[in-house]
Amino acid sequence: MHTDLVAALDIGGTKIAGALVDGGGGILLRAQRPTPAREDGDTVMGAVAEVLGELTGSPLWARARAVGIGSAGPVDASHGTVSPVNVPGWRDYPLVARVREVTGELPVELIGDGVAIAAAEHWQGAARGHDNALCMVVSTGVGGGLVLGGRVHPGPTGNAGHIGHISVDLDGDLCPCGSRGCVERIASGPNIARRALDLGWRPGPSGDTTAAAVAEAARAGDPPAVASFERAAQALAAGIAATATLVEIDIVVIGGGVAKAGDVLFVPLRRALRDYATLSFVQHLTVTPALMGTDAGLVGAAAATVHTVPDVAAARAAGWSGGVRHGIAAFPVDRAKPLDMG
Ligand SMILES: [Zn+2]
């Protein structure tokens, strides 16, 4: 019987979610706070500590064997720090050390949120059984992670697969990351809504100006709404084609709020891919909606710790062929040294 649990944290610009996850990817306990993204770093950490407090306060905590963190990027898994674009109070923020102040001696593993999504989709979702996949989230931002050669590929610092900040428009709008014409600057939910408004879309009586409202208008044939989704689809297709051409993937999994638009997004995306993914080895790329839903970040963060937890590792041996590359970004506590409290 598998009894070990993993504590998972999914830290984004909108919410901070935590959970205790079992070796089958089941969530036994969850906690959540809004991210005070405009506040100073310590205030943001306070929200993380509250989430962790709900987990550590549970009788289930005694079974926790590791902590997996998936954070909005960039992260630096090699140093245990994070600098999320949408959380300005955190720059090179020592998140792993701070989490350890709460969780004590458990090993802590940090990966980017896109890598976590890829780990989750590869473990239990739409990329299951695929050795080479790009898994994406299109939401407030655009993120992604890669599965290459059957393994999740976090890269040396945990950021590989950062497709949202590939430039697809050389002279395009400035992106908060400092570059121009990034995929995210065109295809994220807020940017889809902004473009639709610029093109003349007007929200309904509710005043809802989210990408979901634009999707509804696009479904009804509203030309500016359709045009904004087509532009987003084009940007996504160009980024996906670049990725597929570079590393050879056979499936693209897309989740997140904007992906819920369904055909409004996927139909023009598949059409645009035919324009950009032209070489023989990328022509048969499959694009499919994600299956993991809003828990993907938590399940993926838990998956990242798999090699540190015996029972979870056993679960993996029993049926999970993927997993984050062994040994990357593990933070076992060195008892000989005091913890760095920064
Ligand atoms: Zn960017």
Side-chain angles (χ1 to χ4, degrees):
M1 193 178 77
H2 296 154
T3 56
D4 287 349
L5 303 178
V6 169
L9 284 174
D10 176 19
I11 298 176
T14 307
K15 68 175 167 59
I16 294 162
L20 290 175
V21 182
D22 68 21
I27 291 181
L28 276 59
L29 175 69
R30 61 175 80 229
Q32 190 170 311
R33 293 287 185 282
T35 306
R38 296 294 143 206
E39 306 292 329
D40 63 278
D42 287 343
T43 304
V44 181
M45 188 61 215
V48 175
E50 283 182 27
V51 167
L52 280 171
E54 285 193 27
L55 303 183
T56 59
S58 159
L60 290 170
W61 182 258
R63 290 161 55 191
R65 296 290 175 267
V67 182
I69 308 171
S71 172
V75 303
D76 186 344
S78 65
H79 291 101
T81 59
V82 301
S83 309
V85 173
N86 296 321
V87 185
W90 277 4
R91 287 295 171 267
D92 296 322
Y93 189 81
L95 179 60
V96 168
R98 290 284 183 278
V99 166
R100 273 185 177 162
E101 290 172 15
V102 181
T103 60
E105 60 191 33
L106 299 182
V108 178
E109 186 117 5
L110 170 67
I111 54 175
D113 54 1
V115 176
I117 297 297
E121 291 292 337
H122 189 230
W123 185 12
Q124 296 190 330
R128 192 173 186 166
H130 289 268
D131 285 345
N132 298 283
L134 167 66
C135 301
M136 302 176 61
V137 174
V138 185
S139 175
T140 314
V142 175
L146 291 163
V147 176
L148 298 176
R151 290 291 182 94
V152 174
H153 178 80
T157 64
N159 292 292
H162 234 84
I163 189 169
H165 296 283
I166 287 178
S167 179
V168 291
D169 184 2
L170 300 186
D171 304 307
D173 293 332
L174 270 175
C175 179
C177 78
S179 181
R180 284 186 180 278
C182 292
V183 171
E184 178 174 300
R185 191 67 179 79
I186 300 168
S188 73
N191 282 305
I192 288 173
R194 183 184 51 82
R195 176 173 288 267
L197 286 164
D198 286 351
L199 293 173
W201 170 68
R202 291 295 167 260
S206 68
D208 182 356
T209 56
T210 63
V214 180
E216 200 176 317
R219 219 167 284 122
D222 179 77
V226 170
S228 186
F229 264 92
E230 286 187 342
R231 180 71 174 165
Q234 200 181 6
L236 292 169
I240 290 166
T243 305
T245 305
L246 204 60
V247 297
E248 288 199 58
I249 50 174
D250 58 65
I251 188 169
V252 181
V253 176
I254 305 181
V258 172
K260 291 201 179 78
D263 283 353
V264 166
L265 178 71
F266 282 89
V267 169
L269 173 52
R270 292 184 180 116
R271 192 167 58 229
L273 259 183
R274 289 199 289 274
D275 293 336
Y276 295 108
T278 54
L279 296 177
S280 59
F281 59 94
V282 293
Q283 284 173 4
H284 303 291
L285 200 51
T286 303
V287 179
T288 188
L291 294 177
M292 293 299 293
T294 51
D295 287 336
L298 286 169
V299 173
T305 68
V306 73
H307 60 268
T308 67
V309 182
D311 278 355
V312 180
R316 171 184 165 180
W320 179 27
S321 62
V324 172
R325 191 173 69 216
H326 183 86
I328 184 85
F331 293 91
V333 170
D334 181 349
R335 288 169 189 277
K337 287 190 293 189
L339 293 182
D340 176 13
M341 300 301 186

